């Protein structure tokens, strides 16, 4: 190989490394997503796939879906959190209603419920003037620096009860139980009837074990 051949190989390797390690420009990402959405499978009268993606594409599409599902929520979370104005984008409010401030956190989208006092934020996804509640973990992670000098707020963050009180002596079982509780809360708070769903979930879960479909 000549020196030029070596330089060409280095350039090709560098380009490939850039492709694998640098973020895809968001506009290109959106174009790719729109192309995937428009690529509706077409079948003939025998229900055989005759257009767009087929069996040979399955592994590529499956891995792409898994990678996106893994990293995209975290990327969006960070963008939402960093878009909050540290001076005007955060509010501390007293909670007076019986159910407290509850729902899915405006930053991490995990379920939360606060009584007495709550934090609310405005980020780039929201309409002008609208504020939504955030969980203690996000207040601790993304809140303005001056919050760290307020004794009342420090105590409020430390008060975080987590998902719920510990009920299982085995840590693994307790972790699984808390994940189940959070899943129920997450689903309940994604609808307009969180309290009703949360109250009915033990009854609905009675048929969870056994043959299914």
């Amino acid at each position: 190989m000549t020196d030029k051949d070596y330089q060409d190989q280095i350039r090709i390797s560098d380009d490939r490394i850039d492709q694998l390690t640098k973020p895809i420009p968001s506009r290109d990402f959106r174009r790719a997503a729109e192309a995937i959405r428009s690529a509706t499978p077409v079948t003939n009268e025998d229900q055989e796939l005759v257009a767009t993606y087929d069996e040979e594409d399955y592994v590529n599409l499956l891995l792409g879906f898994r990678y996106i599902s893994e990293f995209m929520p975290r990327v969006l979370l960070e963008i939402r959190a960093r878009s909050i104005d540290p001076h005007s984008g955060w509010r501390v409010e007293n909670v007076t209603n019986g159910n407290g401030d509850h729902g899915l956190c405006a930053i991490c989208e995990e379920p939360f419920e606060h009584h007495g006092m709550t934090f609310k934020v405005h980020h780039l996804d929201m309409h002008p003037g609208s504020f939504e509640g955030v969980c203690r973990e996000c207040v601790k992670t993304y809140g303005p620096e001056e919050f760290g000098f307020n004794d009342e707020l420090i105590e409020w963050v430390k008060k975080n009860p987590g998902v719920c009180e510990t009920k299982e002596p085995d840590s693994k079982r307790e972790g699984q139980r808390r994940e189940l509780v959070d899943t129920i809360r997450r689903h309940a708070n994604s609808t307009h009837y969180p309290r009703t769903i949360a109250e009915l979930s033990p009854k609905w879960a009675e048929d969870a074990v056994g043959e299914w479909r």
Side-chain angles (χ1 to χ4, degrees), residues 176-195:
Q176 292 171 335
R177 186 186 72 82
R178 292 190 173 207
E179 287 179 7
L180 174 61
V181 171
D182 253 2
T183 300
I184 294 171
R185 286 176 168 171
R186 192 178 301 111
H187 174 71
N189 282 289
S190 65
T191 74
H192 296 296
Y193 310 100
R195 184 66 57 182

Side-chain angles (χ1 to χ4, degrees), residues 37-169:
R37 185 176 65 175
S38 65
T40 304
V42 178
T43 57
N44 58 21
E45 60 272 12
D46 296 324
Q47 297 302 306
E48 295 176 340
L49 209 60
V50 296
T52 66
Y53 301 117
D54 57 21
E55 292 88 342
E56 294 181 1
D57 298 306
Y58 180 77
V59 172
N60 291 331
L61 293 171
L62 180 61
L63 289 176
F65 173 75
R66 288 177 177 172
Y67 295 152
I68 291 171
S69 300
E70 178 182 348
F71 87 85
M72 187 58 70
R74 184 65 189 178
V75 171
L76 295 175
L77 182 157
E78 291 293 336
I79 295 174
R80 284 195 297 269
R82 303 306 175 189
S83 73
I84 301 171
D85 188 296
H87 304 293
S88 62
W90 290 81
R91 288 183 180 176
V92 183
E93 296 183 0
N94 291 324
V95 180
T96 56
N97 64 72
N99 293 332
D101 182 23
H102 64 88
L104 299 180
C105 174
I107 298 178
C108 70
E109 298 183 340
E110 292 294 329
F112 77 94
E113 185 167 13
H114 299 151
H115 295 278
M117 186 173 73
T118 190
F119 276 76
K120 294 189 175 182
V121 297
H122 175 88
H123 59 66
L124 54 83
D125 276 350
M126 299 178 179
H127 298 296
S130 63
F131 281 74
E132 294 183 9
V134 294
C135 67
R136 282 182 170 85
E137 194 61 35
C138 284
V139 173
K140 181 170 63 176
T141 305
Y142 303 108
E145 292 183 4
E146 56 264 30
F147 286 0
F149 300 101
N150 185 310
D151 292 338
E152 184 181 6
L153 299 183
I154 292 173
E155 287 302 314
W156 182 85
V157 170
K158 288 181 179 179
K159 185 182 175 183
N160 190 1
V163 178
C164 43
E165 295 181 5
T166 301
K167 293 185 179 179
E168 291 286 347

